[in-house]
Amino acid sequence: MLTEEELKELRELSVQTRKNIVKMVNNAKSGHPGGSLSGVDILNVLYKKCLNIPSDWNKSPDFEKRDRFILSKGHASPLLYSILAQHGLFPETELMTFRKFGSKLQGHPSKDHIAGIETSTGSLGQGISIGCGIAIGLKLDKNQANVVVYTGDGELQEGSCWEAFMQAAHRNLDNMIAIVDRNKLQIDGNTEDVMALDDVAAKIRSFGWKTMEINGHDYNEIYAAIQTAKESDKPFAIIANTIKGKGVSFMENQAGWHGKAPNDEQLAQALLELN
């Protein structure tokens, strides 16, 4: 269990992350706020309490021992950029260059531009496959690092995800953790209307993974699930039930905010609520 002091720190971090997200997307006049806001609490717990990722990146003597994080739903880049800046991997002042011409902070993460990004993502359905390849490589090198892949639920409608789940179980990649952002919304509406996923945990479990379902906004549940996953003798999937647009009332549970920027008036309201 996390202490009250740790919980307070995470709450404060999450508020700042959410403020960064809405300000970045507003400033760029484009981006994906809904699915970025839903994952804030998960990534803050990951980076603050669970992952071994050096803040000086490849200058660290333990760089090769780092855990690998893959943002498979690359359109949630405002979330990842804010987390990486808060983790010390680049200055927070750069966040407002998001999606600007010549910026390192592209609409989808590119590993060639800033520290902290393991692989370029954005084409949905590829992150789990990439994670499998990295996890196999770590096994061959006898490297004890973990691979964490953060994926959207709508993304699981891609067949390549299920091939990767099968591959990970077949090769017993117990160094691999998948976190599914189960907010039940995608760009076209409710996931269950677009192409029903039903019981995601049961589906993944049937492919040979261990699974756990949690509240993706409860810091203690997130932390406990990740710690359990790290000790698993099989690949482990965490189904995190979340609220798309979490923290901003008019964005919450609204598919329309999947990829739309708030105007200045909406930004002011969002910041007021987050304060």
Side-chain angles (χ1 to χ4, degrees):
M1 292 285 285
L2 298 165
T3 66
E4 282 303 316
E5 185 176 343
E6 288 174 315
L7 291 171
K8 181 176 182 290
E9 180 186 30
L10 286 167
R11 284 193 290 268
E12 291 173 351
L13 277 172
S14 290
V15 167
Q16 186 57 51
T17 307
R18 289 189 165 95
K19 286 181 180 179
N20 286 341
I21 289 167
V22 294
K23 287 193 289 187
M24 290 163 67
V25 177
N26 163 266
N27 188 56
K29 295 182 172 53
S30 68
H32 297 79
S36 295
L37 292 168
S38 63
V40 167
D41 304 310
I42 296 166
L43 261 67
N44 269 313
V45 173
L46 270 171
Y47 274 80
K48 195 67 182 175
K49 300 297 175 186
C50 300
L51 295 183
N52 171 29
I53 295 180
S55 59
D56 56 355
W57 199 232
N58 57 5
K59 296 175 183 175
S60 168
D62 293 325
F63 180 64
E64 290 305 323
K65 297 178 182 179
R66 76 193 183 282
D67 292 321
R68 274 67 166 175
F69 176 80
I70 298 169
L71 180 72
S72 188
K73 46 179 277 184
H75 56 272
S77 59
L79 165 60
L80 180 59
Y81 293 149
S82 183
I83 294 289
L84 294 180
Q86 288 171 307
H87 196 62
L89 286 160
F90 65 89
E92 288 195 56
T93 52
E94 289 189 28
L95 291 176
M96 290 305 112
T97 70
F98 173 62
R99 281 186 175 238
K100 299 293 185 181
F101 184 74
S103 172
K104 299 174 185 177
L105 308 185
Q106 299 184 6
H108 293 82
S110 171
K111 69 180 180 66
D112 297 326
H113 291 85
I114 57 173
I117 296 176
E118 294 289 348
T119 185
S120 303
T121 55
S123 296
L124 296 179
Q126 297 182 359
I128 302 171
S129 295
I130 295 169
C132 281
I134 294 173
I136 291 169
L138 291 171
K139 288 276 191 183
L140 291 172
D141 289 341
K142 295 180 170 52
N143 189 323
Q144 298 299 308
N146 291 296
V147 181
V148 178
V149 181
Y150 182 69
T151 177
D153 51 359
E155 184 175 6
L156 297 186
Q157 294 161 350
E158 302 278 359
S160 56
C161 294
W162 300 96
E163 293 177 37
F165 282 130
M166 184 165 56
Q167 166 84 328
H170 176 70
R171 295 190 176 274
N172 195 34
L173 300 180
D174 57 357
N175 56 342
M176 188 167 172
I177 301 167
I179 302 177
V180 180
D181 183 352
R182 186 70 166 122
N183 60 43
K184 297 187 178 179
L185 290 174
Q186 57 192 105
I187 193 167
D188 291 328
N190 189 289
T191 56
E192 306 312 285
D193 295 330
V194 177
M195 187 182 293
L197 292 162
D198 299 316
D199 189 338
V200 175
K203 276 189 168 71
I204 298 174
R205 197 160 52 245
S206 73
F207 276 71
W209 287 52
K210 289 187 175 180
T211 64
M212 180 181 291
E213 194 162 353
I214 65 167
N215 175 351
H217 301 301
D218 184 304
Y219 300 117
N220 276 317
E221 286 192 31
I222 297 165
Y223 177 76
I226 295 165
Q227 295 304 106
T228 300
K230 286 164 74 173
E231 299 300 320
S232 176
D233 59 354
K234 290 184 177 182
F236 199 101
I238 299 167
I239 316 305
N241 293 300
T242 65
I243 297 171
K244 193 153 190 163
K246 174 69 174 175
V248 180
S249 63
F250 59 88
M251 292 186 184
E252 288 190 354
N253 291 318
Q254 299 297 316
W257 286 101
H258 174 88
K260 183 173 74 171
N263 60 33
D264 290 348
E265 183 180 347
Q266 291 165 329
L267 172 65
Q269 182 182 339
L271 293 175
L272 183 65
E273 292 182 7
L274 289 168
N275 281 329

